[in-house]
Amino acid sequence: MKSLLLILSSLLCFVTVPVVAGVYERNTARPVNQVVFGTVESVRNITQRQVLESEHSGWKTLGGALLGGLLGNQFGGGHGREIATAVGALAGAGAAQYYQSQGETVEYQLVELLIRGEDGKLINVIQDYDPAMVFASGDKARILYFDDGVRVDRTY
């Protein structure tokens, strides 16, 4: 039983929670560092795939270890039972980790904009696609520079 507790406590060290970047909200006031005006030269819609791991993957691994340990505890006697419990816990944790390792694939719609600024310099920006803000070559645009990134909007 001490072996099972030792294994379970060591498994808790591997429980992690993924960090997800925040989403830009158009209606949120934020301080702007610089604004540059220009003309859109090219627009390219692209996608980005990202594999998201479950936020509960650590708990699933722990649950697999518990079930495996309980099953392993049913076999053998004396030291054999302790070994079977430890092997069952490891096998349960390994099986749970294997079956959840595929994760969930999320596809993000992005737009890549090549903009010629009023000073003649080319600026390339990739940002989230917004169906309410569709760009075309020749559109007038403003580039908003924030502390944590850049955002392009059309000007009318």
Side-chain angles (χ1 to χ4, degrees):
M1 195 55 153
K2 290 180 183 179
S3 305
L4 179 61
L5 291 176
L6 179 63
I7 291 170
L8 293 178
S9 65
S10 65
L11 286 175
L12 286 175
C13 295
F14 298 107
V15 176
T16 60
V17 177
V19 177
V20 179
V23 177
Y24 176 87
E25 299 290 332
R26 288 193 174 276
N27 59 353
T28 303
R30 294 174 32 185
V32 177
N33 294 333
Q34 180 184 10
V35 179
V36 174
F37 292 91
T39 304
V40 176
E41 289 206 354
S42 70
V43 178
R44 187 168 67 120
N45 292 317
I46 57 177
T47 58
Q48 176 187 18
R49 291 180 186 217
Q50 182 177 6
V51 177
L52 297 178
E53 294 184 21
S54 171
E55 293 180 12
H56 308 291
S57 62
W59 292 109
K60 291 177 184 176
T61 303
L62 179 62
L66 283 172
L67 287 175
L70 289 174
L71 287 174
N73 196 36
Q74 304 302 314
F75 301 101
H79 289 297
R81 175 174 278 178
E82 290 176 0
I83 292 172
T85 301
V87 169
L90 288 173
Q97 188 70 31
Y98 173 78
Y99 285 111
Q100 69 188 358
S101 65
Q102 286 76 25
E104 177 184 348
T105 302
V106 176
E107 189 169 284
Y108 295 102
Q109 300 296 320
L110 305 171
V111 61
E112 180 183 39
L113 302 167
L114 185 61
I115 301 166
R116 184 162 306 275
E118 290 177 333
D119 59 0
K121 293 181 181 176
L122 285 174
I123 303 163
N124 187 24
V125 177
I126 298 175
Q127 66 185 22
D128 294 334
Y129 173 79
D130 182 357
M133 183 71 60
V134 178
F135 295 92
S137 292
D139 284 348
K140 299 294 180 189
R142 67 178 178 171
I143 305 164
L144 305 169
Y145 289 90
F146 302 101
D147 285 337
D148 60 348
V150 176
R151 186 70 189 182
V152 177
D153 288 326
R154 277 191 2 228
T155 58
Y156 300 97

